[in-house]
Amino acid sequence: MTTATTTPTRLPVAVPVLALGIFCLGTSEFMLAGLLPEMARELGVSIPAAGSLISAFAIGMLVGAPVMALLTLRLPRKVTLVGAGVVFALAHLAGALTTSFGLLVTTRVVAAVACATFWAVASVTVVAVTPKNLTARGLGTLISGITLANIVGVPAGTWVSDHWGWESTFVAVAALSVAATVAVALLVPETASDEKIAIGALARRELQGLTGSRLWLAVGTTVAVQSTMVATFSYLSPLLTDVSGLSAGVVPLVLLAFGLGSFAGITVGGRFADRDPLLNVVVSLLATIVSLAVVWLAAPSAVAIVPAVVVWGFATFTVASAINARIFQHGDQAPNLVAGVNVAAFNIGNAIGPWAGGLVITAGLGYRALLPLSISLALVGLLVAAASWRVERGRTVEVEAAPCPAC
């Protein structure tokens, strides 16, 4: 009697639980955009000075991800996740209670390091607990926590701040982080750890696993993809008001529409990424370029810009699952450190995009010129993906076409 084997079609419950944690992290990372004026006023600093809180978080993420990946190599992953969640919550409580701007900056750096640690270890955990045929979908579900943070968390944080002050928003994030950490402790299983291996040998193994052109081409694709998105998205609000002629009150609704489109894009992209991640990257980048061109054409129209933004959100996020999956696919010999590198890649893109967009605006080219900039960055991503295609598919063809020496 033969027992039929079925291909898994459902993600384990640990994946959405970890996505809830990412939701908390994403809310904290992006909520300051709506809180800066009030925070600057209460803390007695200028808005540009208050903006250093955003830079502090980005630096903490960029440095903290790979460093903490190495420092926590021998810790059980579940312990690391719970510890990062606790530190993240405490950092927000400390930030809410302080009246010192310098101390508040410090709490943001600490929160960012905890955020980077949780994100990196959560990614490794998702790869470990998810069936192989659903890896990209699992990573896409994890990243959807960031999308939901922009749809729900950031507007809710702004609303709480408007009613009870920015400190209340920090307390709310801390409370939600505690709830997410408890859920992780109860529902996320412990995965295999390397605590029995000497830390020196373990670190060398992880560092050796970072070699290879395939991995770094995948990392380069992630940087290009992320910078493509944020170069325009960082300045979407003034684009909508100054170019499209929308009122400021309508802008949050358009941002919500973008978020809904991006959530749909992650959902659809995740289902195709498991079949062929590299092809998914190429097709998604082409779709992103087309959607950005549509936004450029629609920008002067208050009516056309809204559906164009939704299409852009959908297209640009269909690649999210694939770029995450590819980094883990080519760095499977160093899963912990690769997870940190992955987080760093996203944050490098987060830095490059707004910087390049700022140069365009400062040059007097206007907000609409951000769209050709994003298209150019997407073309860079396509070039990197083409190099990946040549390395991966080219080598495969050569091996298959070579004559068999034993024949």
Side-chain angles (χ1 to χ4, degrees), residues 112-193:
V113 172
C115 173
T117 304
F118 187 98
W119 189 350
V121 177
S123 299
V124 179
T125 303
V126 166
V127 173
V129 303
T130 303
K132 293 295 184 183
N133 66 303
L134 299 177
T135 298
R137 191 189 306 183
L139 290 169
T141 300
L142 184 70
I143 299 301
S144 70
I146 294 288
T147 306
L148 288 174
N150 283 296
I151 296 173
V152 179
V154 174
T158 303
W159 183 84
V160 169
S161 175
D162 290 342
H163 285 77
W164 297 290
W166 66 266
E167 299 91 344
S168 298
T169 302
F170 274 60
V171 172
V173 170
L176 187 58
S177 300
V178 169
T181 302
V182 171
V184 168
L186 295 176
L187 299 174
V188 175
E190 183 59 84
T191 54
S193 59

Side-chain angles (χ1 to χ4, degrees), residues 69 206 209-210 215 327-328 330-332 334-343:
E206 289 273 334
L210 293 183
L215 171 62
I327 288 181
F328 282 96
H330 297 307
D332 58 349
N336 300 285
L337 195 51
V338 159
V341 170
N342 189 34
V343 174

